[in-house]
Amino acid sequence: MKLYDYYRSSAAYRVRIALNIKQLAYEQLPISLIDNEQNSGSYTSMNPHALVPGLQLESTGDTSVLGQSIAIIEYLDECYPEPPLLPALPLEKARCREISLAIACDIHPLNNLRILNYLNTELGVNQNEKMVWYHHWLSRGFQTLERLISHQNTSFCCSEQPTMADLCLIPQLYNAKRFGFDTSPYPELLNIERRCLALTPFIQAHPDNQSI
């Protein structure tokens, strides 16, 4: 497999964790979001999303890539079911998706690089105003997550082992801290972060441990 990756991308970080948990070998191919490489013709011809991650599944004979981190994680879980990244029971699986999508759909899109750049370049928002925007949506989202996870009474987001929800949470916490957001009001989230970051697949996937 080939993973088109950017080390600080939350979505790519999620997929790196999933690949590591599944113990799958993959080649990392860097796509620099800072240098706008995601919009190059050579990349968008494979991945029309013009985003990372993109996973090239060489065994299928298809030269295009699979985009969108949630779709990639669920694909990997179906093709390589052990260890599972989604609970087995329908309601528990739905709860896992609920938490995952609260991050991937409600928090992350409002504070990813292309949105923040648009606020600067097209709307004339200054750096301080941009951070107010960023922190506002983090606060709203983390309040929701703290309540959702506190109802679960599990060691990780929704199970006694990491699931897709944890794969979404840890990168979002990383980015929040990188931009000076105070995470101390969210002890449930921080407890899960502490447990996850002690595990080898999470350590290996951390942005600070990437060579690209």
Side-chain angles (χ1 to χ4, degrees), residues 33 101 147:
L33 303 185
L101 295 174
R147 289 194 292 268

Side-chain angles (χ1 to χ4, degrees), residues 158-169:
C158 51
S159 178
E160 291 305 311
Q161 63 185 28
T163 63
M164 181 168 66
D166 303 277
L167 274 55
C168 291
L169 175 63

